[in-house]
Structures are given as C-alpha cells and as structure tokens.
Amino acid sequence: MSVRRIGVLTSGGDAPGMNPCVRAVVRTALYHGVECYGIRRGWNGLINGDIVRLDEKSVAHTINRGGTILYTARSSEFMTEEGQRKAVSTCKFLGLDSIIAIGGDGTFRGALALSKYGINVIGIPGTIDNDISCTNYCIGFDTAANTAIECIDKLRDTMQSHERCSVVEVMGRNAGYLAMYVGLACGATAVLVPEEPIDFEKDVIEKIRQARFNGFTHYMIVVAEGAGKATEIAARIKEAIDLDPRVTVLGHIQRGGSPSGRDRVNATKMGYLAVELLLQGKTNRIVCTHEGGFTDVDIDEGLAMKKSIQQMEVDVLAAMTGI
Ligand code: F6P
C-alpha cells in the first residue's frame, strides 16, 4: 500500500486539542516526505473539494489554539451513498490515497464507509464527551473538564455566600463521563449521569439532607445533559424540599479554550501515530489509549465495543457524598 498524499479532517463537535493533532499529522507526514492536505468543514469538504495544501507554516502557532483551524461540520450528505461516492471521486481526482479523520463515532462511521471504496483511513478520537468505547481518553476531554471545573468553582463561591443550591448542567450528549469526572473534582453533593438509574429521593434529596446534617448550607448538583434538564431537576428539588436552586447550563463554553498540556501532548502523540500506522501499511484503524499507552484497533471492532462509567468512580462518589 503506497501512501503519498494524506488528507486530514476534523468532524463533529470541535474539541480542544484538535489543532495540535492536525499539526502532528502534518509534521509527521512532511518528516517522512509525504504530502498533507487539510480537508475543511469535515466530510463536507471531501464532497465539495474544499481542500488546502498544508505545509510547515500552515500549522505554526496552532498548538495552543482551541477549536479547529480546519473548521468542522456534521455532514448528513456524507451519510448517503451518493455523498460517499462524491467524496471518493474527490480523493481519486486529487490523488488522496489516505484520510485521517479526527472526531467521534459518527466520524469513524464515515471513515469506515470510505474505506469500502479502497481509501486508507485512520480515525483519531476527538470529543469532549469521552464517549468512544475503544479508548479511555479522547482529545478535548481534559480541557473541557478543567473548564467546567473552573466554572463550578466560581459558582461555588457565590452559592456558598448565599447559602444556595446550584444545579449545573454539563455536556456529554448521551454519556456521563464528563459530568462524573467534573462532579468528583468539584466535590458535588450529587451527580446525575444517564448510565446510572436515578432514584430522585435517594440520589438527590437525601444527599442534600445528608450534606445539611454534615453542616453544609450550600449544595452543588451536577447533571449530565443526557440525564435530564437542569431546570427540571431544580423544579423537582423546589417541590420536594422548598429550596430555590439556581440553574447554570455550562453549554458550549466547555468546548472552547486553549488545550491543556495533557490534551496537547496526547493529541500530538495520536496524530503522530496515525501517520506511522499508514506508513506501516495499516488502514481501517482507530488510534486509542490502552492501559496507559497508545495502540490501535480495527474501526469495525472499535465501533462495536461498549464502555460505561467506571464502577470505581460510582463507588468513590457514593463515599464522598455520604450515602
Ligand atoms: O459531542 C460534543 C457535544 O458538545 C455534546 O456534548 C453536545 O451534546 C453536542 O456536541 C452539542 O452539539 P452542537 O454543537 O451541534 O450544539
């Protein structure tokens, strides 16, 4: 399998660390004498031929930048056979033999579709949701978690002064990894995630009571967006015990900001590894972390895997929240 021209794209929700990853792909490719092209606006860019040549300079000063210099999109057209055929014809026309796609599960499904037409593909997990089953770590999770933690620490100051209850909604789509991590880091009174069944009386109201018995007069309830709306949780708390919670939906602020050191270094390693895999003749792989190191799995296998919240996080949370 010959690798002469690599295209790199970012797709789905952006995540801090995507730029260091693109930078690593470009620099590793150039280091090996392989040409590298940026496909802009996700899979749409491959359909529409929205492609730019990337050189050393195009990725200079991007290691510390949030967002993605390649722009991103969720492409419904690429999910159709016609869209995929258009993308393949762009690859053939431009002589792009390999694509590195940075994103989430939807991005990998797109890569898998492309591979059926004989294009070499490698996926790199980039999503603040950290919900890709074949890997413990996804690019952007660390920065997003730290952003949410910083915001909640600030909220705590004012909640403490006013002796209030705060309900904070954290992103994560259908997954609770971000909320659980952030809740543990912020010493939340309760954390609600979609993976764990919720008994409102036991998991929220009793925890607030327990905190009160422990001498607290402010309460921080962290809700994963997939577990329910913060406004509804707040209304139920008011109805049950007549507290008047303040609601904060952290929203897209969690996706912005300069990537953390961890996200920069891991993204750089993953970008490097993606190119090395192609040069070793591998295709149809997802770069992932495993037992503290980096490895790769087949895209089909990776997409079929399941993961859940670590039992240890659930147990630790139970111990920290006093029930
Ligand atoms: O997948 C990343 C994510 O930020 C999710 O946490 C969230 O549910 C979704 O994207 C929001 O999507 P959009 O930016 O399209 O509103």
Side-chain angles (χ1 to χ4, degrees):
M1 161 180 136
S2 89
V3 178
R4 286 183 48 238
R5 281 193 188 133
I6 298 177
V8 57
L9 60 84
T10 51
S11 165
D14 63 349
M18 282 181 162
N19 284 331
C21 190
V22 170
R23 172 181 177 271
V25 168
V26 174
R27 296 216 163 151
T28 310
L30 296 180
Y31 178 71
H32 288 292
V34 173
E35 291 175 25
C36 196
Y37 293 81
I39 300 159
R40 303 198 300 180
R41 303 177 174 88
W43 295 115
N44 285 342
L46 207 52
I47 293 172
N48 303 324
D50 188 359
I51 292 169
V52 285
R53 188 168 182 154
L54 297 174
D55 59 17
E56 273 293 315
K57 274 201 183 139
S58 24
V59 289
H61 312 300
T62 60
I63 197 160
N64 58 336
R65 281 177 60 187
T68 162
I69 56 165
L70 294 179
Y71 303 98
T72 186
R74 304 185 203 276
S75 173
S76 48
E77 192 179 357
F78 191 71
M79 296 302 134
T80 67
E81 208 179 312
E82 201 197 332
Q84 288 160 14
R85 283 189 192 282
K86 281 192 202 164
V88 172
S89 100
T90 306
C91 289
K92 294 214 165 126
F93 180 68
L94 296 176
L96 288 177
D97 46 68
S98 310
I99 302 292
I100 294 176
I102 309 162
D105 274 354
T107 308
F108 301 154
R109 267 187 277 278
L112 189 62
L114 206 59
S115 74
K116 310 264 192 255
Y117 295 90
I119 312 288
N120 308 317
V121 295
I122 304 285
I124 302 179
T127 163
I128 66 159
D129 302 340
N130 212 29
D131 60 348
I132 298 172
S133 299
C134 60
T135 188
N136 297 327
Y137 163 85
C138 297
I139 294 169
F141 175 75
D142 189 61
T143 309
N146 284 318
T147 299
I149 291 164
E150 202 184 319
C151 292
I152 295 175
D153 284 350
K154 287 183 177 162
L155 270 178
R156 177 188 288 277
D157 292 343
T158 169
M159 290 302 127
Q160 205 160 6
S161 311
H162 285 265
E163 301 182 279
R164 276 176 176 155
C165 177
S166 186
V167 181
V168 186
E169 191 178 305
V170 173
M171 270 191 173
R173 200 178 287 276
N174 301 317
Y177 305 104
L178 189 58
M180 180 59 89
Y181 187 88
V182 165
L184 282 170
C186 292
T189 314
V191 183
L192 305 182
V193 293
E195 292 85 350
E196 295 291 312
I198 298 164
D199 172 339
F200 201 76
E201 178 64 24
K202 174 173 168 285
D203 297 327
V204 180
I205 303 302
E206 269 308 314
K207 292 207 172 186
I208 293 174
R209 286 194 185 113
Q210 197 66 35
R212 182 71 191 86
F213 285 135
N214 287 336
F216 288 89
T217 53
H218 67 280
Y219 318 98
M220 184 66 70
I221 314 297
V222 173
V223 189
E225 64 174 334
K229 288 205 171 307
T231 43
E232 284 163 17
I233 307 288
R236 288 180 73 180
I237 294 172
K238 184 162 172 48
E239 195 188 321
I241 48 178
D242 208 24
L243 280 178
D244 188 13
R246 293 299 189 263
V247 170
T248 307
V249 179
L250 292 180
H252 287 82
I253 201 126
Q254 294 160 103
R255 290 225 305 249
S258 177
S260 67
R262 183 162 186 242
D263 278 331
R264 293 182 200 191
V265 173
N266 284 350
T268 301
K269 288 180 177 172
M270 287 173 140
Y272 163 86
L273 193 56
V275 177
E276 292 291 332
L277 288 172
L278 286 172
L279 295 175
Q280 287 161 22
K282 291 195 186 176
T283 175
N284 232 16
R285 313 291 294 174
I286 301 175
V287 176
C288 49
T289 57
H290 182 63
E291 292 178 352
F294 290 85
T295 183
D296 54 282
V297 296
D298 187 77
I299 296 187
D300 279 296
E301 280 172 33
L303 285 172
M305 288 180 184
K306 298 265 174 281
K307 83 170 177 186
S308 196
I309 299 277
Q310 282 172 27
Q311 189 54 44
M312 187 180 179
E313 292 194 343
V314 177
D315 295 344
V316 170
L317 181 75
M320 294 304 111
T321 53
I323 288 185

